[in-house]
Amino acid sequence: MKIEPEVRKEINQVLDAMKEAVEAKNIEALVGLVDSEPNILTVGPCPDNVGLGQNGFRRWMQALLDKATPVKFKLGFTTIKGNGPVVWLDTHVTYTCKNGENQKDFDFYLSGVMEKVTNEWRWSQMHLSAPSELEFPEGPPPSPEAEKPAEKPKYTTENKAPNPEQGEDAPPEWNYM
């Protein structure tokens, strides 16, 4: 649902505060952006980055910030939808960090839900993920018979394939996955 311009402005202020806190490695400012309810779930990009509540978020965010010095936390295009005191959002994040003289950019997707709690917007669910190309395992080589083109069936009125009716599954040639 579309949100009011004032709500968008408030959410952008929270995202700006998050950016500033990451770049300053200010873990307490980051934790202050998460709701204090104990069942708040936050998920980060590394295997051990799942936390419940503010302490769980603090643990995985501190581990992430300890890996390298943040240089820049840039937010990309952000979609925000909402309903009353609840909004959900998605954005692209470029996180630039360095370790010694080595600097690297990481792309992340940030999505989550924020709630207006005591007149301030707080994360009540957050998911930070790192996109990567899926690498599927190689299959066995095709058999020689599989390389030969199949003969097309000869249709007669007795064995002609019926036309699919509306509501049936798509024909196999439409399945591209």
Side-chain angles (χ1 to χ4, degrees):
M1 300 172 166
K2 190 173 182 176
I3 60 170
E4 298 296 321
E6 183 61 31
V7 172
R8 175 173 280 284
K9 181 180 174 186
E10 292 171 0
I11 297 302
N12 284 335
Q13 289 171 342
V14 173
L15 293 173
D16 288 342
M18 184 176 183
K19 172 191 177 322
E20 290 172 16
V22 168
E23 290 177 350
K25 283 183 114 167
N26 185 342
I27 195 71
E28 294 309 315
L30 281 168
V31 171
L33 299 175
V34 176
D35 191 6
S36 61
E37 290 290 323
N39 65 344
I40 299 304
L41 179 66
T42 54
V43 180
C46 300
D48 61 343
N49 290 162
V50 176
L52 278 174
Q54 288 180 329
N55 287 332
F57 174 70
R58 175 185 283 110
R59 180 187 50 76
W60 76 255
M61 186 54 93
Q62 187 67 58
L64 186 65
L65 292 176
D66 285 347
K67 292 188 186 303
T69 302
V71 175
K72 183 171 59 171
F73 189 83
K74 181 181 177 210
L75 295 161
F77 180 77
T78 303
T79 62
I80 305 170
K81 299 289 184 184
N83 191 359
V86 177
V87 298
W88 48 97
L89 61 96
D90 293 290
T91 189
H92 175 261
V93 175
T94 303
Y95 177 62
T96 305
C97 60
K98 63 193 293 187
N99 211 343
E101 293 302 312
N102 298 325
Q103 183 169 308
K104 186 168 183 175
D105 289 341
F106 293 96
D107 284 317
F108 293 111
Y109 297 126
L110 174 63
S111 62
V113 176
M114 287 188 194
E115 292 181 78
K116 198 159 196 177
V117 179
T118 59
N119 217 24
E120 292 186 13
W121 290 99
R122 297 286 181 251
W123 288 99
S124 60
Q125 186 276 329
M126 177 192 296
H127 185 196
L128 183 65
S129 62
S132 64
E133 188 174 330
L134 298 176
E135 294 184 29
F136 292 95
E138 292 290 324
S143 66
E145 293 85 33
E147 293 178 6
K148 293 180 186 176
E151 283 188 37
K152 291 186 179 180
K154 295 177 184 163
Y155 291 109
T156 66
T157 54
E158 295 165 1
N159 68 357
K160 186 175 180 180
N163 289 333
E165 293 183 22
Q166 246 181 345
E168 288 186 14
D169 289 338
E173 63 266 22
W174 290 7
N175 295 328
Y176 47 89
M177 181 104 186

